Each structure stands twice: as C-alpha cells, then as structure tokens.
Amino acid sequence: MPLTAIRFLNQQWTLGEDLCKVFPVFFYGNVAVSVLSMVGLTINRYTLILHPSRYSKIYTPLSLCFQLFAIWAFSFGIMLLPLFEIWGTLGLDEETFSCTILKRNDTSPKKFIFLFGVLVPCIIISISYSCIFYTVHKQRAKLKAHSSNSSGRIESFFRSKEDCRLTLTLLTIYVCFLVCFLPLMLANVIDDDGSYANLHVFASVLAWMSAVINPFIYAIGSQNYRHAYTKLLSELCFWKTNVELRSFDEVNKSRTVDHL
C-alpha cells in the first residue's frame, strides 16, 4: 500500500524497474490469496451449516494445512509465469503509471487471472451462500411447524447464534469484495489496452479499500474476532487492560449456555 500511495502522489513510478517487476507479483499474489481464502471460508461455512456431521472429518489439521499451502502456492505460482516471461511480462504501464502484467508476443495472462481469480470465486461464493440461506429459510419453516422440538433442531442446525452471525459477516465481506474488486476485473478484462486510464486508477483505489474495511467488518460482526483483536494487541503491549480476557473455550461455553 505505501508503494501505491507513492505512485498516486507522484502520478508516476519512481522506484526503479526491478521493483516495478516485483511489485505486481506481491500485489496480485495477495489479491489472489484474499479471494481464494474467502472461497475457502465460504465452503467452510457451507460444510458446517449444511453438513455438520462431516465437518470434523473434512476439516482436520492436516487438511487445513494443505488448503493453506495450496492457496498460497497457486496464488504466487501463477505470477511466476509473467515474472519469468513465460506468459506475458511485468512492467510499467505508462497510461495508468502502474506496474502490472503486460503483453509479450501479443499474449498476456491478465484476462485469465482476473476471470479465473474473480469471476469463478464469485460464482462459487454466490452458489454456496444461496444454498446456505435457502436451507436456513426451509429449516426455519419446519421449526415453526414443529415448535415443540425447535430447540433441539436449532442446536443441530446452527450450533450457536455466533455461527449465524459469522456467516452474515462473511457475506458482508463478500458484498464488499464485489464492490471493491468487480470494477478492477471489468477494467482489466474489457479495457485491457488501458484506453480509459482514469477508470483503471479508480478501480485500483477501490481494490485497496478492501484491505482497509475488512478488519472493521470482522471486528463489528464477530465477538470472537473482537476478543482475538483485544488479546493480540494486549499481548503485543500496545495497551494494558485490567479486564480479564476469557479464553475461547469459555466464550464458547457461555454462548452455549445463552443459547440453551
């Protein structure tokens, strides 16, 4: 983000050719990690809510480590193609004064990266959340018809109110992701020649805005994240607090008691 701020302030790239080639690797790589992580979280919510009995079998420590490795390996691995000029190249786009993916021999992976990295995740996330909320609506209708057993059924469907709240938080992040990254995808796919430079600049600003608003959404939407932020900052000695922080096990127990 500081490098992008310098670029916008000077309206040109002033940090050298070598850094201009490295910058898009980290920029697009981090964007891909964010998007694929969002897909992973969405599938996690889908499995937890629609198939709770299979959740613990699918999400083991080993499988989670493999998923994280695959996300990071693919996200930065795809950027090695233009970095080593196997498919396209990396350099300065004079029209938008940005270091980005450029064509080499009239070919570039830019459209593929944006279509696969934005459009496909959007489809997966949209389908997953549609299934989640359709199932929720159908389950609630059944609960109203059989109110005598509602507490047991709610417990088996939503383990706690926090699960539902976290799902809504992730959905909010997804909507913000669309607002922030969809213009960037459209700008790079439709106008890959950079004819509308101002559109590309505006889309880049929106994309960076996502990194700023996501932590606030997590903090507002989830009690677990608020406790995690407070615990992390207190352990880093940014401030001292006299309020005793409960462990996550205690938080989960209190949520279970409140739910019952």
Side-chain angles (χ1 to χ4, degrees):
M1 188 177 291
L3 300 181
T4 303
I6 294 173
R7 176 167 65 90
F8 282 125
L9 286 173
N10 295 318
Q11 295 190 0
Q12 60 180 333
W13 184 262
T14 60
L15 302 174
E17 183 179 351
D18 292 337
L19 191 56
C20 188
K21 287 182 175 293
V22 175
F23 174 79
V25 174
F26 287 95
F27 175 73
Y28 291 113
N30 279 302
V31 170
V33 168
S34 298
V35 174
L36 294 179
S37 296
M38 198 178 306
V39 173
L41 287 170
T42 302
I43 296 174
N44 179 282
R45 293 291 97 188
Y46 174 89
T47 307
L48 176 64
I49 294 172
L50 272 70
H51 306 285
S53 60
R54 302 178 185 176
Y55 182 83
S56 59
K57 298 177 181 179
I58 297 175
Y59 288 94
T60 63
L62 181 62
S63 67
L64 288 172
C65 289
F66 176 77
Q67 289 176 40
L68 291 173
F69 173 78
I71 287 173
W72 283 86
F74 177 81
S75 299
F76 283 92
I78 193 72
M79 290 305 301
L80 295 179
L81 298 177
L83 179 63
F84 293 106
E85 298 186 349
I86 299 173
W87 187 12
T89 186
L90 301 175
L92 180 64
D93 185 346
E94 298 288 348
E95 293 293 330
T96 61
F97 50 90
S98 63
C99 296
T100 184
I101 303 171
L102 303 175
K103 288 183 178 181
R104 183 174 182 271
N105 298 328
D106 294 326
T107 61
S108 167
K110 199 170 188 178
K111 283 187 176 181
F112 168 80
I113 290 174
F114 276 97
L115 286 174
F116 184 82
V118 178
L119 183 61
V120 174
C122 284
I123 293 173
I124 295 174
I125 293 173
S126 297
I127 293 174
S128 297
Y129 277 121
S130 297
C131 293
I132 288 172
F133 287 104
Y134 172 76
T135 306
V136 169
H137 178 75
K138 190 167 78 170
Q139 185 71 8
R140 284 177 178 171
K142 290 181 179 180
L143 292 175
K144 288 181 180 179
H146 304 280
S147 58
S148 60
N149 296 324
S150 61
S151 60
R153 297 193 180 192
I154 292 175
E155 181 66 26
S156 63
F157 185 75
F158 273 122
R159 295 182 178 179
S160 67
K161 293 180 181 179
E162 188 68 19
D163 287 329
C164 184
R165 189 180 297 112
L166 181 57
T167 301
L168 291 174
T169 300
L170 294 175
L171 179 60
T172 303
I173 290 175
Y174 168 60
V175 172
C176 292
F177 162 77
L178 287 180
V179 173
C180 293
F181 283 101
L182 198 57
L184 185 65
M185 185 200 76
L186 294 175
N188 282 277
V189 172
I190 298 175
D191 184 37
D192 60 336
D193 294 328
S195 302
Y196 299 94
N198 291 333
L199 176 62
H200 287 265
V201 173
F202 176 72
S204 296
V205 172
L206 281 180
W208 278 111
M209 189 175 71
S210 173
V212 177
I213 62 177
N214 278 355
F216 291 99
I217 297 174
Y218 277 115
I220 294 171
S222 175
Q223 185 182 14
N224 273 353
Y225 280 104
R226 288 196 295 273
H227 278 276
Y229 287 150
T230 306
K231 185 176 181 179
L232 175 63
L233 293 174
S234 63
E235 288 179 352
L236 292 176
C237 299
F238 284 127
W239 73 66
K240 298 293 183 181
T241 177
N242 293 325
V243 180
E244 182 179 0
L245 296 175
R246 295 178 299 176
S247 66
F248 283 111
D249 290 335
E250 292 172 336
V251 173
N252 290 331
K253 287 179 181 177
S254 65
R255 293 206 316 265
T256 303
V257 171
D258 293 339
H259 179 70
L260 294 175

